[in-house]
């Protein structure tokens, strides 16, 4: 049923995993970009629902960020296939998923913190990791990553 929110969401998530596998593992860039376009179209439908399915922004962010990181030739080819690619839009999408997502909120925060570290926005990355550490106190990864950031910029005030 095209109007079933959960079915459409499951389709987007499954297609996202298949897209990443085709692109990263199989190195099938043609197949991966075709799947990415499908994911982008389906995710666009999810976020236009009332209320939106905010978790779909995670898939949109992955595509936006992935395309933005391609070399110029592959980025041009992806855009010819109709794929968008903007790091800034990817960050906006991740922020929405991190703030309002139901299932992928923590994962969106992790990805957003990785982008912040890459962009040398270490206080923003530390703030997200602090939220995750409070939410998941038994997870040893968050304190370790916060300590790594603090070694680079100093402790939080």
């Amino acid at each position: 049923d095209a109007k079933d929110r959960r079915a459409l969401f499951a389709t987007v998530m499954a297609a996202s995993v298949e897209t990443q596998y085709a692109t990263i593992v199989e190195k099938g860039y043609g197949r991966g970009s075709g799947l990415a376009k499908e994911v982008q179209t389906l995710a666009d439908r999810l976020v236009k629902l009332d209320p939106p399915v905010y978790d779909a922004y995670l898939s949109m962010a992955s595509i936006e960020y992935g395309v933005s990181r391609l070399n110029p030739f592959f980025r041009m080819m992806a855009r010819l296939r109709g794929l968008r690619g903007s790091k800034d839009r990817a960050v906006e999408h991740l922020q929405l998923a991190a703030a309002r997502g139901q299932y992928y909120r923590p994962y969106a925060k992790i990805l957003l913190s990785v982008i912040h570290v890459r962009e040398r926005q270490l206080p923003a990355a530390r703030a997200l990791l602090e939220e995750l550490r409070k939410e998941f106190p038994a997870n040893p990864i968050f304190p370790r990553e916060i300590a790594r950031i603090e070694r680079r910029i100093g402790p939080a005030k």
Side-chain angles (χ1 to χ4, degrees):
D1 181 7
K3 294 180 181 170
D4 184 337
R5 305 167 68 84
R6 288 181 289 203
L8 184 56
F9 176 64
T11 302
V12 168
M13 292 300 114
S16 294
V17 170
E18 187 176 0
T19 300
Q20 291 174 5
Y21 182 83
T23 305
I24 297 168
V25 176
E26 293 178 345
K27 306 279 190 233
Y29 301 112
R31 180 169 173 262
S33 66
L35 289 166
K37 180 61 183 162
E38 178 184 345
V39 169
Q40 199 171 54
T41 301
L42 294 172
D44 281 340
R45 284 181 37 205
L46 276 172
V47 300
K48 289 178 183 168
L49 294 175
D50 185 24
V53 178
Y54 288 98
D55 289 297
Y57 280 107
L58 182 86
S59 295
M60 295 168 71
S62 296
I63 294 167
E64 290 278 1
Y65 192 74
V67 171
S68 76
R69 303 272 302 171
L70 293 172
N71 72 45
F73 174 76
F74 285 116
R75 190 169 45 246
M76 181 188 69
M77 297 303 292
R79 288 192 175 143
L80 287 174
R81 293 194 93 162
L83 293 171
R84 301 179 298 256
S86 163
K87 181 178 56 176
D88 293 335
R89 234 183 345 252
V91 169
E92 290 170 13
H93 292 331
L94 284 173
Q95 288 170 334
L96 280 167
R100 313 267 320 257
Q102 181 178 0
Y103 302 107
Y104 288 109
R105 187 182 41 75
Y107 185 46
K109 287 181 180 183
I110 291 168
L111 294 177
L112 198 51
S113 70
V114 169
I115 290 174
H116 287 325
V117 168
R118 283 185 175 179
E119 298 296 316
R120 294 178 179 31
Q121 298 169 349
L122 299 178
R126 178 175 52 202
L128 287 167
L129 292 170
E130 287 287 354
E131 290 176 22
L132 290 164
R133 182 178 62 135
K134 287 176 186 165
E135 189 172 354
F136 304 101
N139 188 321
I141 295 172
F142 301 127
R144 185 173 57 227
E145 293 304 315
I146 290 167
R148 288 177 63 186
I149 289 172
E150 288 178 349
R151 282 193 297 273
R152 290 172 67 181
I153 64 170
K157 294 176 179 155

